[in-house]
Structures are given as C-alpha cells and as structure tokens.
Amino acid sequence: MRSLTTSPLMAPEGGGAMPTNIDTLCINTIRTLSMDAVQKANSGHPGTAMALAPVAYTLWRDVLNYDPANPLWPNRDRFVLSIGHASMLLYSLIYLAGIRDVRPGGVSNDRPALTLEDIEQFRQLDSLTPGHPEYHHTAGVETTTGPLGQGCGNSVGMAIAEKWLAERYNRPGFTLFDHHVYTLCGDGDNMEGVSSEAASIAGHLKLGNLTWIYDSNHISIEGSTRIAFTESVHKRFEAYGWHVLELKDANDTGDMRRLLAEAKAETSRPTLIIVHSIIGWGAPHLAGTAEAHGSPLGVEEVRETKKFYGWPEDRNFYVPEGVPEHFQAGIATRGAAASRAWDELFRAYRAKYPDEAAQLDHIFAGTLPEGWDSDIPVFDADAKGVASRASSGKVLNEIAKNYPWMIGGSADLSPSTKTHLTFDGAGDFQPPQWGGTYGGRNLHFGVREHAMGSISNGLALYGIRAYCSGFLIFSDYMKPPIRLSSLMKLPVTYIFTHDSIGVGEDGPTHQPIEQLAQLRATPGVTVLRPADANEVAEAWRTLIQIRDRPSVLALSRQNLPTICRKTYAPATGLAKGAYVLADAQGRPDVILMATGSEVGLIVKAAEKLKADGIKVRLVSMPSWDLFEAQPKAYRDSVLPPDVTARVAVEQAAQLGWDRYTGLAGETIVMHGFGASAPAGQLEVKFGFTVDAVVAAARRQAGKPA
C-alpha cells in the first residue's frame, strides 16, 4: 500500500485527477463523507476524520478482527473512538465495512447498521448518526463517547474484561478469548485526568491486549496546544509502563500497519502509538488550524479540498464504485472466517465444558445465574445494630459467591467500604508478578475514582456484572461515568459509604450533603439508601435484578439498629421504593418519613408521640425513583393526599423533599456542610434528635407541646 504525503500543498496521485489506487480511493471516501456530512449539518468536527482516515482505514481493513455480519461475536476486537467528536470517522467506517444492524441482546433489524442516507442525516433528530457515538443507538458503536477521556477509561475496562474472561474460561485447545482492544484518542483525551488515571492502572496491570492510538495534531479549540500542553506524552507513558511507538506521518499506511503488528506482538505491556497528523489534511486554507477542528469547512473550502484529493468537486456523499467491496474484502472476509471458526470452537467447548459454556451464555445475554440469591442473609432484630456498609459487605459476599462473573473493587477503600470478596477462590485481579491472577475477582483501582467508574463501564459492556466503591462524598469525582452508565443502560453498581454527617470527626470535607440530590436528579439511576441490615439485603436483591440502569447504594459508617420485623413491616417493601413501616389506627395525625440512618430516629420519635396520644404513620423511603415508578394508587396508599401533616428527616440537602412533604410540611435536613466532631454531637448541633422530630411532628399535627 502506498504512503500519502502529509503536505497539504502537494497534490495526491494523479496531480488532481481522480486517484486510481483503490486504497487511496477508500481513504478519500472516508474524508469526503466526513466533510460532506458536517457541511450539510452545518455542525460537527471534520478535521480529525480527514487527518486520521488513513490510520483508521489501515486498522479496520487490514488488522481489526471483526465480522460485520456478526457484530456481537464475543471474541471480536474492540474499537473505541474516545475522540467521540470525530464521530463521522466511525460512521464512515461502519458504513463502508457493511456492519449489520444487530444490537445488544441480539436484536437484528435485517438491514445495514448505516446507509448512505443515514450518513446524510448526520446530527439530525432521530437519526442513527448523532453528534457523538451512542451505544445501543447505532450498531457497531462499542461505547458511548464524547466526554474526553471516558473512552480511554472504558477501553481499560474492556482489556481487563478480556483478560478475566480468558483466564476464567479458556481451556487447553479452547482459546475462546484472545482479542485486542484499540482506542483512538487525541490531545484532549491526554489532557483529561481520567485518561491519566486509566493509563496508570493499565500500565500497572500490564494489559498487553490494549493499544491506544494517539492523534497528536497539536490543535485544540483555542488554537495550538502549546498554550497549555507542552509535556512529553511519550515519556509520560513510558513512565506508566507502556510500550510507546511513533508514526511520523499519519498518511504512511505501510508504517502504520507495521506499528500495529508490533503493538499486537507486545503482550506484556499496553501500547501507545503516537500518530503525528495534520488536522484537516488537504484543506488548502484550514489544514493545521483550529478552524478545522469543530466547525464545517465551508462550501468553497470543501470544493477546493475535494479538488486537492482529485475528487469530483460538485458531488456530495460520493462513494466510488468498488470502494465498499474493497474495504469489506479485508475486514469482512477476515472477520467472517474468524467468527465461524470461533462458533465451531464454542460448540465443541460446550460439549466438553457445559457448565462453563452455560455461564458464558448468561454473560453474553446479561441474565442471572440460578440460585444467585439463595444465601442472602436475614438479620435478627438488634437495638445496637450494624453499619449498613458492614451488612452490605456480608450480603455482597453471599451473592458474589453464587454469581461467578460478578467482579469489582474500590478506590483504595475496601477496608472501609467492606467490598472485598473473601470467599474461597475470589482472589485479586493482578498480573502474576504482582502476586495475583487475571482471573481474580477483587479489583484494586487505587486512589483513582474517576477511572474506576469508567473502567467499570468497560467491564459492564462485556456482560460482566461490575461494582465499584468509595465514599459518597467522592461520587463527585465520578459524576461523568455514572451519567454515562445511565446513558448506556449499564447495570453497574456504585457502592458509596460514609453517607452522612455520621462520618463524624472527618468533618465537612468528608460529609456528603448535596450528593444524594445530585444522584437522584440523574435520569436512569436507581438510588437506594437502606435503613437497616434487612433493607440492605432487600436493596441488593432488588438492584441485582435491574439490567438496564446503574444503581447507587448509599451506606452508613455508623451502626444502625436492626428493626424488629415482627413489630414493623417487612423490609421487602423496599422493592417499591417506599413503604409504610408502621401505622396508627385510623387516619394518622402526622406522617414521618426518612431514609437510611434517620429511619431509626423517626422510629424513636414515633414511640414518644404514640405515648402522647398522637397517631403517627412511619414511612421508610429508601429509593425515590423506585417509588415514583409505582402506580399512583400505591403511592397514594403510602402518602395519602388528604394527610398533609408531614415531616421528612434526612442528613442531606433539602432539595426534592417538598415533593413528598408538600409546601405545608416540614423537613429536618442539612443546610450547610457539617462540622468536625463525634457523630453524636453533630446530630445534636444540626437538629437530628428525637426531641426535634417530636416538636416538628406536633406542629404539623396541630398539637404543640
């Protein structure tokens, strides 16, 4: 394959005539489709697609092990476009490769994933070509990208997943998993902190199945990256323990193919290929400028660029005869043979290893193993109780031992979050030289919360049931991956402990206040704040069965009394988000509602009010979103509209509680950031006492003391 010059001033083959080299035709088709789509939409990012077309073409046509007719084939190579703004590059590849419209879950619409008409609808309402690639939305897109650095983190999770599956399920003569993960990233990705966190842990884990291709074009929105980014990325990645290669000319397809082979051959380290490119290559006035990054080139510049490529200047969305066929003669021919061979291998594997094959069936389908919940404990009533982080740790271990592909860990906090799996055979996911195995189920993310979230998304994209953990206050570091979990409908479990001012002496920097409101406000995230050990057990029983969205568990550091379920309603009510914990005879004078650690407080207050002849309904509200999903009749049965005397108690921000208290109700909540003191003193200082709840209830009931 010939090399193309990087000079925007030198004409391509033929001196302005239509190229005759089929590879050049394919590459320029990618470029011009990208230019035309952005121009028609009057929105988008053409320059990166123009610059990287030779790189992406070489990877897809000549190297990527991928079957366009079977895009969910489990041992396919993964391609992640972390520079999601260059989405037209990926859409052009999907179109030319002939990927079929097969979605997660195996749903096939018996059509190409993208047609030329779809590409013409780039960035339009309800099109299959949105501004940034979206998982589930467009077949061939392996993960939702756009927020820079997230795709890098996802790819590390994918590489971990491949290593784990290979270690757990490969057998002599049955290599089911041996694929590679490729990520296209840019200057922006490498400026974002999450990619640094992800690269650091990838180097530590020696993920030799991972290659990042770094488009070093030295241009960002504000202009040259020299204004803010002058480090040696090469040296930084070498320090991380990566294998670093450089492609001096983005158009040198032969050298790119050689470097990809070298990256694949390096099995003990991840590889970074630094590609030196000119953004907007071929544009006579805008190549190498910031203007080529995030705006259409303009009608005249597009015309002149096509002239430089030797392209018909007045033809838009032009695909020369033979281009798709040549593209597919590489990727489709290679991929079809590989996927057929894999299917045959898996059939033989199923005959010899039926139990392991059955587990893989569940992983691929996203279904649960039989008996996953058979050992979930029931906790006896106990006034002293146990911290919900501790009861959660017990429940997690009982579930995970019966759920073989459930893996996860913490950001250096498992002794505090109680998320370490301790049963026989759990083990640590580490390279053998660090004393572990790639089949271990305990992940050690280090103090890297942001990467932990994006890595967990990458794991979940493989069908592995991923969880991760930290302190609730540090969910602030994880907002982007939690949001993307929801966008992608991934059932990642986020376990956050130290969920209130009950943290105590660590003070306001560690006491979460607004975090619950933020998480509850995120669409498609189920937030659960259980009140005692049995609500914890039911929270796990509920969230494990959720397959289409992430869940957040907010758990206490301090002990919570284990409520006597002979006296009070069973904890199974948690599945409906809120339930009547205890009720009075007849119409209640006041409703007391709370979540988590504050449920025990309203229980004590109710006992005092009852002794004074005040009729109280107690409502535990561990999950607002699950409650809102219930029929109105159920919601009204828990919170009768005609009972407006209401008090809500939660050691968090007030935002949202008026939905349940009404404007006439009262809230006992946090209005500041807490303080450093023992938890008991903080409860008094901020009004979380039995007397304060009783006084508020009396006011609401019209029976002041």
Side-chain angles (χ1 to χ4, degrees):
M1 189 181 298
R2 63 168 304 187
S3 299
L4 302 176
T5 176
T6 58
S7 170
L9 303 177
M10 186 177 295
E13 176 184 341
M18 191 73 173
T20 57
N21 181 288
I22 186 63
D23 297 309
T24 304
L25 274 177
C26 291
I27 290 165
N28 286 345
T29 300
I30 295 170
R31 286 171 165 150
T32 55
L33 285 177
S34 301
M35 291 161 48
D36 287 341
V38 171
Q39 190 63 43
K40 183 180 179 184
N42 196 29
S43 174
H45 302 72
T48 299
M50 295 162 67
L52 292 185
V55 170
Y57 170 76
T58 302
L59 173 63
W60 276 57
R61 189 194 183 275
D62 296 340
V63 176
L64 201 69
N65 209 23
Y66 187 97
D67 183 3
N70 186 13
L72 300 182
W73 165 40
N75 198 37
R76 68 191 182 277
D77 286 346
R78 299 318 198 263
F79 175 78
V80 175
L81 186 75
S82 194
I83 41 174
H85 55 269
S87 56
M88 267 311 307
L89 177 64
L90 179 54
Y91 298 149
S92 298
L93 294 166
I94 290 172
Y95 165 67
L96 293 176
I99 292 177
R100 301 302 297 173
D101 191 21
V102 182
R103 308 301 182 87
V107 178
S108 176
N109 295 314
D110 195 28
R111 53 155 273 167
L114 293 177
T115 64
L116 201 56
E117 290 73 22
D118 292 320
I119 287 178
E120 292 185 37
Q121 293 301 305
F122 178 57
R123 288 188 167 223
Q124 303 310 299
L125 183 65
D126 296 328
S127 78
L128 290 172
T129 48
H132 292 83
E134 297 178 23
Y135 177 70
H136 281 295
H137 187 79
T138 309
V141 173
E142 299 282 10
T143 182
T144 297
T145 57
L148 291 175
Q150 289 298 321
C152 291
N154 295 164
S155 72
V156 173
M158 292 174 170
I160 290 172
E162 192 279 337
K163 287 283 192 184
W164 189 85
L165 289 167
E167 184 70 21
R168 284 275 170 168
Y169 295 105
N170 285 358
R171 296 291 184 271
F174 293 93
T175 302
L176 294 179
F177 301 100
D178 62 350
H179 60 270
H180 209 80
V181 180
Y182 296 94
T183 304
L184 207 54
C185 58
D187 290 307
D189 289 289
N190 275 316
M191 287 189 242
E192 288 286 1
V194 62
S195 61
S196 297
E197 294 180 25
S200 175
I201 195 168
H204 164 79
L205 292 173
K206 302 185 180 300
L207 299 177
N209 56 347
L210 176 66
T211 295
W212 289 3
I213 302 168
Y214 163 38
D215 175 32
S216 179
N217 62 41
H218 302 292
I219 292 294
S220 62
I221 290 174
E222 293 186 355
S224 169
T225 55
R226 292 186 184 91
I227 63 174
F229 189 55
T230 53
E231 70 191 40
S232 170
V233 174
H234 189 125
K235 291 180 180 178
R236 173 156 64 94
F237 274 74
E238 283 185 335
Y240 287 147
W242 285 55
H243 175 222
V244 182
L245 305 171
E246 296 209 31
L247 179 68
K248 299 298 184 183
D249 178 350
N251 288 313
D252 191 340
T253 54
D255 202 33
M256 182 64 197
R257 196 163 59 252
R258 178 185 64 81
L259 293 177
L260 287 168
E262 194 174 331
K264 188 78 174 288
E266 173 53 70
T267 59
S268 63
R269 293 177 293 171
T271 295
L272 179 73
I273 301 176
I274 301 174
V275 174
H276 296 279
S277 75
I278 295 176
I279 195 168
W281 185 84
H285 305 104
L286 298 181
T289 70
E291 287 76 9
H293 171 73
S295 302
L297 298 179
V299 173
E300 189 56 33
E301 187 78 357
V302 168
R303 181 187 299 275
E304 292 189 42
T305 306
K306 288 180 179 177
K307 182 178 180 180
F308 168 74
Y309 294 152
W311 217 249
E313 299 168 33
D314 296 322
R315 295 196 65 173
N316 296 326
F317 300 100
Y318 174 52
V319 179
E321 185 178 349
V323 162
E325 291 80 5
H326 180 71
F327 197 108
Q328 292 165 28
I331 187 172
T333 302
R334 181 176 61 252
S339 69
R340 280 196 304 270
W342 190 91
D343 287 343
E344 292 173 6
L345 183 69
F346 192 49
R347 278 193 290 272
Y349 181 91
R350 185 186 302 280
K352 189 166 186 179
Y353 303 104
D355 293 341
E356 289 84 351
Q359 290 185 15
L360 288 170
D361 288 338
H362 281 299
I363 292 172
F364 302 153
T367 50
L368 295 171
E370 185 177 350
W372 67 271
D373 58 348
S374 59
D375 295 319
I376 293 178
V378 175
F379 296 87
D380 294 333
D382 182 356
K384 179 181 177 183
V386 62
S388 54
R389 62 170 174 164
S391 55
S392 174
K394 293 178 181 178
V395 177
L396 169 62
N397 266 274
E398 293 300 330
I399 292 173
K401 75 179 184 182
N402 295 321
Y403 199 158
W405 53 97
M406 186 177 189
I407 70 175
S410 78
D412 194 48
L413 288 171
S414 62
S416 295
T417 60
K418 309 300 182 186
T419 50
H420 194 75
L421 301 181
T422 57
F423 51 83
D424 287 346
D428 290 340
F429 184 95
Q430 293 280 358
Q433 52 266 60
W434 301 144
T437 167
Y438 284 128
R441 296 176 60 187
N442 287 295
L443 298 174
H444 299 279
F445 294 102
V447 187
R448 302 183 182 97
E449 288 90 354
H450 198 167
M452 175 174 70
S454 60
I455 288 169
S456 296
N457 285 341
L459 290 166
L461 287 163
Y462 271 63
I464 289 171
R465 196 59 187 259
Y467 67 87
C468 59
S469 68
F471 292 169
L472 181 56
I473 191 69
F474 300 136
S475 66
D476 287 351
Y477 288 121
M478 301 175 65
K479 179 64 168 64
I482 293 173
R483 187 174 191 271
L484 286 167
S485 292
S486 181
L487 272 169
M488 291 190 276
K489 304 183 185 301
L490 299 177
V492 177
T493 303
Y494 297 91
I495 304 167
F496 292 127
T497 68
H498 297 58
D499 70 344
S500 72
I501 61 171
V503 171
E505 294 86 345
D506 278 335
T509 63
H510 280 53
Q511 291 167 7
I513 304 298
E514 73 279 15
Q515 283 68 31
L516 282 174
Q518 175 177 276
L519 290 162
R520 287 168 175 159
T522 306
V525 176
T526 290
V527 181
L528 303 113
R529 189 172 184 241
D532 74 343
N534 286 307
E535 277 200 9
V536 166
E538 293 305 318
W540 273 107
R541 193 188 307 275
T542 299
L543 72 86
I544 288 293
Q545 297 178 76
I546 296 174
R547 295 173 52 186
D548 61 352
R549 59 190 185 276
S551 300
V552 170
L553 268 178
L555 305 170
S556 74
R557 177 196 187 195
Q558 72 275 27
N559 285 354
L560 305 182
T562 305
I563 297 168
C564 177
R565 297 296 170 166
K566 294 180 180 178
T567 303
Y568 294 92
T572 51
L574 174 138
K576 293 185 175 181
Y579 63 103
V580 177
L581 187 63
D583 212 357
Q585 291 293 326
R587 184 179 185 275
D589 297 319
V590 64
I591 298 174
L592 300 182
M593 62 190 88
T595 74
S597 52
E598 289 71 71
V599 171
L601 177 58
I602 65 171
V603 166
K604 291 179 180 178
E607 292 170 354
K608 190 169 184 179
L609 289 164
K610 183 179 179 181
D612 292 341
I614 297 175
K615 292 186 288 184
V616 179
R617 170 173 287 190
L618 291 177
V619 175
S620 177
M621 301 192 68
S623 178
W624 292 8
D625 60 282
L626 290 179
F627 184 56
E628 291 299 327
Q630 303 308 311
K632 185 176 185 297
Y634 176 78
R635 286 181 277 127
D636 287 348
S637 73
V638 175
L639 300 175
D642 64 333
V643 181
T644 59
R646 302 179 181 186
V647 179
V649 186
E650 187 173 64
Q651 290 181 12
Q654 181 175 358
L655 187 66
W657 271 112
D658 56 355
R659 183 182 187 94
Y660 302 114
T661 62
L663 297 179
E666 291 191 38
T667 55
I668 299 174
V669 294
M670 290 295 296
H671 298 284
F673 287 114
S676 178
Q681 295 177 24
L682 293 174
E683 290 173 353
V684 173
K685 176 179 176 62
F686 293 109
F688 294 95
T689 64
V690 170
D691 288 345
V693 176
V694 166
R698 282 184 166 279
R699 287 192 296 271
Q700 285 290 302
K703 299 179 180 182

